[in-house]
Amino acid sequence: MSDKNLTLDQYRDLAEFRRQIRRFLHFSESVAKEHDIEPQQHQLLLAVHGLPEGVKPTIREIASRLFIQHHSAVELVNRLESTGAIKRQHGADDKREVWIRLTPAGRTLLRKLALAHRNEMENSGPQLARALQLVVRQRRTAA
Amino acid sequence: MSDKNLTLDQYRDLAEFRRQIRRFLHFSESVAKEHDIEPQQHQLLLAVHGLPEGVKPTIREIASRLFIQHHSAVELVNRLESTGAIKRQHGADDKREVWIRLTPAGRTLLRKLALAHRNEMENSGPQLARALQLVVRQRRTAA
DNA sequence: CCATTTATGTCGTGATACGATATAAATGTG
DNA sequence: CACATTTATATCGTATCACGACATAAATGG
């Protein structure tokens, strides 16, 4: 099914794919810091605000969506709360839960960042798509 | 040219795109740690081995390709050298330069990781492509 | 009613990336 | 050819982040 070796071109395609991801992430980190927010905190804001319909914005849910442990999410929430971008709201139903709510300041901040990202996708989008295509294509035509 | 507002769906598409990137990176980090190497060190190995034809594997070149400062690359190289995955080779031409060379152990390690990534792309590839498409499409049909 | 599970929080640690700073080799300019 | 400048690498202290280990409180299930 899958060959046990890789050609040099396959390494290069993988490297180029990672490079494009890093290019995008580097842009994202720069924009975040220009707006005085740490990159990971920005991503938590986006994850909360971009939650699908009907999903509760709890610590655990967000941690799961960010692929981090719950206590890592707790720390991000602590920092975001201290800067005033979010506030904690204790669960009305289940009192163990903590619901994360963006403050007006948090929403304003996220909107600026999201607009910058939307614009950047005009550059990153095609480059990422191309690099991704090369990796996936090589995968299919291997063997 | 670009609207100053975003719909909730646009936030959700951006969030989903970031989620897919994080899913892939989380997989990548897991595989790296299973092979007893730190994620960033793995990426440096790949960047070196996947260098285009004729590009010198110097610290500065690699730092540029990873979008990090040169001294951050120095630290990664220090750790990789201490684990025996790479070795430093002083530039024959320009004695200031340090050329990074994978050791046989480093190449074996990278090959295992690259194979695992190539397989994973079968899952991540389509999911990433779909999420990316939604973000870029929304960008085009906005306004 | 109490053992267990679930949700969140605290603490200490290690990897990473950075700015500031340092050193050595190469280069340019008079 | 001296010497100021640039280039390539390295060191040091600091902050963010993610983790494992552990703790606490609320919900749940025999």
Side-chain angles (χ1 to χ4, degrees):
Chain A
M1 171 165 263
S2 55
D3 198 336
K4 270 300 177 192
N5 281 305
L6 291 164
T7 66
L8 190 46
D9 276 345
Q10 287 180 310
Y11 281 108
R12 286 182 178 146
D13 289 343
L14 276 175
E16 175 60 13
F17 175 53
R18 290 306 280 247
R19 194 168 120 80
Q20 290 303 332
I21 289 180
R22 290 189 76 115
R23 175 205 294 289
F24 170 72
L25 294 179
H26 183 249
F27 156 82
S28 180
E29 287 166 18
S30 302
V31 178
K33 293 196 173 175
E34 280 167 20
H35 286 81
D36 294 315
I37 183 175
E38 291 297 326
Q40 304 308 315
Q41 297 177 28
H42 159 228
Q43 289 181 64
L44 191 146
L45 283 190
L46 179 61
V48 169
H49 196 67
L51 231 34
E53 199 68 45
V55 176
K56 298 181 295 185
T58 63
I59 299 267
R60 184 160 289 276
E61 179 64 38
I62 296 302
S64 155
R65 289 180 169 270
L66 294 177
F67 300 95
I68 56 180
Q69 302 300 309
H70 78 275
H71 50 261
S72 301
V74 167
E75 292 170 26
L76 291 174
V77 166
N78 286 344
R79 294 176 187 183
L80 281 165
E81 195 173 34
S82 78
T83 66
I86 63 162
K87 59 179 196 289
R88 278 176 160 93
Q89 179 184 312
H90 284 282
D93 178 33
D94 187 331
K95 286 185 178 176
R96 293 170 305 179
E97 291 181 347
V98 167
W99 291 33
I100 303 164
R101 298 295 191 189
L102 268 65
T103 62
R107 272 190 294 274
T108 299
L109 174 56
L110 178 60
R111 191 171 65 90
K112 290 179 190 166
L113 293 169
L115 283 168
H117 281 74
R118 193 185 65 170
N119 290 337
E120 168 62 16
M121 288 312 290
E122 212 147 327
N123 301 317
S124 289
Q127 294 186 72
L128 268 165
R130 207 172 310 128
L132 176 55
Q133 209 174 24
L134 286 178
V135 175
V136 174
R137 175 175 303 154
Q138 110 190 156
R139 183 74 198 82
R140 283 203 304 265
T141 59
Chain B
M1 173 166 259
S2 55
D3 197 336
K4 271 298 177 192
N5 282 306
L6 291 164
T7 66
L8 190 46
D9 275 345
Q10 287 179 311
Y11 282 108
R12 285 182 179 147
D13 288 343
L14 275 175
E16 175 60 13
F17 176 52
R18 290 305 280 248
R19 194 169 119 82
Q20 290 303 332
I21 289 180
R22 291 188 75 116
R23 177 205 294 287
F24 171 71
L25 293 179
H26 183 249
F27 157 80
S28 180
E29 288 165 18
S30 301
V31 178
K33 293 196 174 176
E34 279 167 19
H35 287 80
D36 295 315
I37 182 175
E38 291 297 326
Q40 305 306 318
Q41 298 178 28
H42 159 228
Q43 289 182 63
L44 192 146
L45 283 189
L46 179 61
V48 170
H49 196 68
L51 231 35
E53 200 67 46
V55 177
K56 298 181 296 185
T58 64
I59 299 266
R60 183 160 289 276
E61 179 65 37
I62 295 303
S64 155
R65 288 178 169 271
L66 294 178
F67 299 95
I68 56 179
Q69 303 300 310
H70 77 276
H71 50 260
S72 300
V74 167
E75 293 169 26
L76 290 173
V77 166
N78 286 344
R79 294 176 186 185
L80 281 164
E81 196 174 32
S82 78
T83 65
I86 63 162
K87 59 177 194 291
R88 279 175 160 93
Q89 179 183 315
H90 286 281
D93 178 33
D94 186 331
K95 285 185 179 177
R96 293 170 304 180
E97 291 181 346
V98 167
W99 291 32
I100 304 163
R101 299 297 191 187
L102 269 66
T103 61
R107 271 190 295 275
T108 300
L109 174 56
L110 178 60
R111 190 170 67 90
K112 289 180 191 166
L113 293 169
L115 284 168
H117 281 74
R118 193 185 66 169
N119 290 337
E120 168 62 16
M121 288 312 288
E122 211 149 328
N123 301 316
S124 289
Q127 294 187 71
L128 268 165
R130 207 172 309 129
L132 176 54
Q133 209 173 27
L134 286 178
V135 175
V136 174
R137 174 175 303 154
Q138 111 192 157
R139 182 76 197 82
R140 283 203 304 263
T141 59

